[in-house]
Amino acid sequence: MATKTRLKKLLVLGGLAIAALLVYQVIRPCFYCGDQMDETFADYAALKANGLADCFSLKKMLPATARQINFNARGGILGLGWFAKFSCKVSERDFCSFCKERKYEVVENGYRNANPVTRREGENYGGMGDLPSPRHFLSYSYVKGNYGGLWLVFDRDTSTLTGCYSSN
């Protein structure tokens, strides 16, 4: 009797493992672009044509007028926990319009977390690691509870937008 019960449990667990594997194979392509990439694209259309729009939330990160885009990304386990960093050229007018359309709260020459849930006054939300802090800049950051989020820094002197997005 104990053997039958044990056998049933093993069959159920085996069936669940097979179901999980099938779900993984179906869902994975929706979230994962590969292990790592580091490429330069002439403009937003070239970046989009590479299929990256299907993998990353490009509309959150880059104005459609972006050009000379250096895009670096790495995927996480099962496509979760991916990270993308980029830099590009864009006009200040286009960057400000991009932020206004998305209701991004831009800060001049400083940083402020736009997420009221995770905002702590006095904390520097300058972004992930090595994002620049130019002399004259505009920034936007939205930090999630798990410290993933979006960071944008626009250098007003060079018209360079640098940013990163982490799905952590």
Side-chain angles (χ1 to χ4, degrees):
M1 188 72 126
T3 305
K4 277 188 173 182
T5 304
R6 208 176 273 169
L7 185 59
K8 284 182 183 178
K9 284 182 182 178
L10 284 173
L11 287 172
V12 168
L13 288 174
L16 289 173
I18 290 170
L21 184 61
L22 289 173
V23 167
Y24 167 75
Q25 291 297 326
V26 170
I27 291 177
R28 182 175 186 243
C30 299
F31 294 101
Y32 191 67
C33 290
D35 292 332
Q36 187 162 351
M37 77 172 310
D38 189 3
E39 294 187 40
T40 301
F41 300 90
D43 56 20
Y44 185 87
L47 181 70
K48 207 171 171 185
N50 195 46
L52 294 172
D54 298 331
C55 301
F56 298 101
S57 304
L58 291 181
K59 290 180 183 176
K60 290 180 183 178
M61 297 188 282
L62 288 168
T65 56
R67 61 196 188 290
Q68 299 175 10
I69 304 165
N70 184 353
F71 194 82
N72 178 282
R74 71 173 194 277
I77 298 170
L78 302 179
L80 303 173
W82 58 266
F83 176 83
K85 184 176 176 186
F86 61 90
S87 65
C88 64
K89 295 290 186 178
V90 66
S91 73
E92 183 171 342
R93 183 177 52 82
D94 288 349
F95 174 71
C96 290
S97 295
F98 168 80
C99 290
K100 187 176 181 179
E101 288 170 12
R102 284 152 189 79
K103 298 184 171 114
Y104 289 172
E105 300 171 25
V106 176
V107 177
E108 187 171 2
N109 295 327
Y111 303 97
R112 182 173 189 265
N113 181 8
N115 184 350
V117 175
T118 59
R119 183 183 309 136
R120 292 177 196 85
E121 293 307 321
E123 191 167 341
N124 181 359
Y125 289 96
M128 304 287 285
D130 57 352
L131 283 185
S133 281
R135 275 185 344 136
H136 305 104
F137 68 99
L138 301 172
S139 74
Y140 170 77
S141 56
Y142 186 93
V143 183
K144 299 182 211 172
N146 62 3
Y147 290 96
L150 175 64
W151 292 264
L152 300 173
V153 177
F154 178 78
D155 184 332
R156 298 175 106 174
D157 295 328
T158 64
S159 295
T160 302
L161 173 62
T162 305
C164 61
Y165 184 87
S166 173
S167 68
N168 282 353

